[in-house]
């Protein structure tokens, strides 16, 4: 429980942090490789332009400023070598840390409010959890074993839900997620809700988390319909 941020208010406050230092990004990327055996690759970064921060991609209306792939062949750039990670971030110390999904993990993504509701239920149930992250766009990511993206639709239907009715998606092969302490524009930084530790080194299968996640997303959808009516 000590690695869980209790509620979205605390997370929002924690996200209001200064610009990330290059050494923090480099050190974090190397730790992900050495301690978790995750592949990493550098993405875009934030640059000061005329008194404002803009994404290094140059797009004035970038959807994820400073936190997306910098080149189309990013998949081949991803590395599991600490030495290569040091070299890549040595070139661009402010580059975001991006983690390919579909390799050592997939990610189940839900709205932040649904994620905290599901997380509370999982902890009461004593469920085995892997690392959980939350991005400043108020989306929460639960890391699970690879393969979740392929079977998510069937799992949700098996619980009696229509997949299209739930804001529950999986990121798998050919996709990626931004890792802490990556900062997304002026919104804040990606944060660990449950940090990677030796306790959660072994990731759960999607089947172990899908029921509370689907229920929480169903509640979220029902609440949204109630607000609109």
């Amino acid at each position: 429980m000590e690695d869980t941020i209790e509620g979205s208010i605390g997370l929002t406050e924690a996200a209001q942090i200064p610009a990330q230092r290059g050494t923090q990004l480099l050190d974090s990327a190397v730790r992900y490789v050495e301690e978790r055996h995750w592949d990493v690759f550098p993405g875009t970064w934030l640059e000061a332009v005329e008194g404002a921060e803009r994404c290094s991609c140059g797009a004035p209306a970038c959807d994820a400023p400073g936190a997306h792939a910098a080149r189309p062949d990013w998949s081949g750039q991803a590395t599991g070598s600490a030495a290569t990670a040091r070299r890549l971030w040595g070139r661009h110390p402010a580059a975001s840390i991006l983690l390919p999904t579909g390799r050592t993990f997939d990610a189940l993504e839900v709205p932040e409010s649904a994620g905290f509701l599901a997380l509370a239920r999982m902890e009461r149930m004593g469920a085995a959890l892997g690392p959980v992250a939350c991005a400043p766009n108020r989306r929460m990511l639960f890391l699970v074993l690879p393969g979740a993206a392929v079977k998510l639709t069937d799992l949700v239907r098996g619980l009696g839900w229509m997949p299209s009715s739930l804001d529950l998606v999986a990121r798998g092969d050919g996709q990626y997620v931004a890792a802490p302490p990556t900062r997304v524009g002026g919104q804040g930084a990606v944060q660990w809700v449950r940090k990677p530790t030796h306790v959660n080194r072994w990731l759960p299968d999607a089947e172990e988390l899908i029921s509370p996640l689907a229920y929480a997303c169903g509640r979220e959808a029902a609440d949204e319909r109630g607000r609109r009516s």
Side-chain angles (χ1 to χ4, degrees), residues 7-69:
S8 59
I9 294 178
L11 182 65
T12 302
E13 292 173 349
Q16 306 305 313
I17 62 176
Q20 299 301 307
R21 301 293 184 183
T23 52
Q24 289 181 309
L25 291 161
L26 170 59
D27 292 345
S28 295
V30 170
R31 283 201 306 274
Y32 293 145
V33 170
E34 293 183 333
E35 298 176 11
R36 300 299 294 204
H37 304 292
W38 291 342
D39 285 358
V40 300
F41 69 98
T44 55
W45 56 90
L46 295 172
E47 298 177 331
V49 179
E50 297 179 351
E53 287 185 320
R54 295 183 184 175
C55 185
S56 61
C57 72
C62 181
D63 291 335
H68 64 86

Side-chain angles (χ1 to χ4, degrees), residues 183-196:
R183 196 160 59 89
V184 186
Q187 303 173 47
V190 183
Q191 302 280 319
W192 286 119
V193 180
R194 289 182 65 93
K195 298 177 182 179

Side-chain angles (χ1 to χ4, degrees), residues 94-107:
S96 52
I97 303 174
L98 305 180
L99 310 174
T101 50
R103 299 186 182 188
T104 52
F105 64 84
D106 279 7

Side-chain angles (χ1 to χ4, degrees), residues 43-226:
T44 55
W45 56 90
L46 295 172
E47 298 177 331
V49 179
E50 297 179 351
E53 287 185 320
R54 295 183 184 175
C55 185
S56 61
C57 72
C62 181
D63 291 335
H68 64 86
R71 41 194 281 186
D73 61 342
W74 61 263
S75 181
Q77 188 186 25
T79 180
S81 163
T84 302
R86 289 189 179 94
R87 177 171 54 81
L88 291 172
W89 269 271
R91 294 175 180 170
H92 299 291
S96 52
I97 303 174
L98 305 180
L99 310 174
T101 50
R103 299 186 182 188
T104 52
F105 64 84
D106 279 7
L108 297 176
E109 178 183 331
V110 298
E112 179 187 279
S113 54
F116 276 112
L117 175 61
L119 187 57
R121 294 193 70 195
M122 292 175 193
E123 290 176 336
R124 287 196 299 269
M125 295 162 52
L129 287 162
V132 181
C134 196
N137 64 350
R138 305 186 76 83
R139 303 289 293 181
M140 194 175 289
L141 299 162
F142 291 75
L143 303 193
V144 294
L145 290 172
V150 176
K151 54 190 176 184
L152 177 63
T153 298
D154 289 340
L155 290 175
V156 171
R157 283 179 176 154
L159 293 171
W161 297 93
M162 285 294 294
S164 59
S165 69
L166 302 181
D167 189 1
L168 168 58
V169 298
R171 298 198 193 186
D173 190 38
Q175 298 176 289
Y176 60 82
V177 296
T182 295
R183 196 160 59 89
V184 186
Q187 303 173 47
V190 183
Q191 302 280 319
W192 286 119
V193 180
R194 289 182 65 93
K195 298 177 182 179
T197 68
H198 68 282
V199 175
N200 58 25
R201 178 172 296 278
W202 306 107
L203 298 177
D205 201 298
E207 285 91 335
E208 300 174 56
L209 308 186
I210 196 65
S211 180
L213 285 173
Y215 170 79
C217 288
R219 281 276 305 272
E220 176 88 3
D223 290 345
E224 180 61 26
R225 289 193 297 271

